[in-house]
Amino acid sequence: MEKIFIGGRERPIKYGWNSIRIFCRISGITLTELSRIGDDLTPDNITTLIYAGLKHAAEREKLEVDFTIDDVGDWINEDIAVISKCMQLFRQQMPELKNQQAPVEGAK
């Protein structure tokens, strides 16, 4: 599992179906909207996407999720470069989902 230095320490981060599920639930967007999000990312989208990757990884590793989305926003303020690191990880890890069966039409 990948790790990034954020919030004063190394933390695991993982992008995959569960992190996308977390992101969609929090942001209220559908899978169709998600497929177009790269063209129009907002600060809220970026923060939520990083949070989702951190939360998913922590839960997968059976670690306490001891942070909030607002914490992640504060951590981004401390090191803005973390955005590009996380977006790079997202692009690297998400091709795994492209090899899986497409979602059912109309799925949200």
Side-chain angles (χ1 to χ4, degrees), residues 34-46:
L34 179 63
S35 69
R36 294 186 300 257
I37 201 167
D39 299 331
D40 198 22
L41 282 173
T42 67
D44 195 42
N45 293 147
I46 292 167

Side-chain angles (χ1 to χ4, degrees), residues 9-103:
R9 64 183 169 109
E10 288 273 318
R11 294 176 188 270
I13 187 164
K14 171 76 174 142
Y15 290 104
W17 189 252
N18 282 329
S19 59
I20 294 304
R21 190 176 53 82
I22 293 165
F23 176 82
C24 288
R25 182 177 56 237
I26 293 170
S27 63
I29 68 169
T30 65
L31 287 174
T32 302
E33 293 167 320
L34 179 63
S35 69
R36 294 186 300 257
I37 201 167
D39 299 331
D40 198 22
L41 282 173
T42 67
D44 195 42
N45 293 147
I46 292 167
T47 306
T48 304
L49 192 59
I50 294 171
Y51 172 81
L54 293 167
K55 180 176 176 13
H56 169 52
E59 290 173 344
R60 187 171 180 188
E61 295 289 309
K62 309 293 188 227
L63 300 171
E64 178 184 359
V65 179
D66 61 349
F67 52 88
T68 65
I69 292 176
D70 289 334
D71 291 330
V72 173
D74 289 339
W75 299 340
I76 292 170
N77 283 333
E78 294 168 7
D79 180 13
I80 198 78
V82 78
I83 292 173
S84 62
K85 292 173 192 170
C86 291
M87 294 297 105
Q88 181 180 6
L89 286 172
F90 179 77
R91 286 188 298 272
Q92 288 171 355
Q93 294 176 3
M94 288 313 296
E96 297 171 6
L97 293 180
K98 292 180 184 174
N99 296 329
Q100 297 180 17
Q101 184 177 2

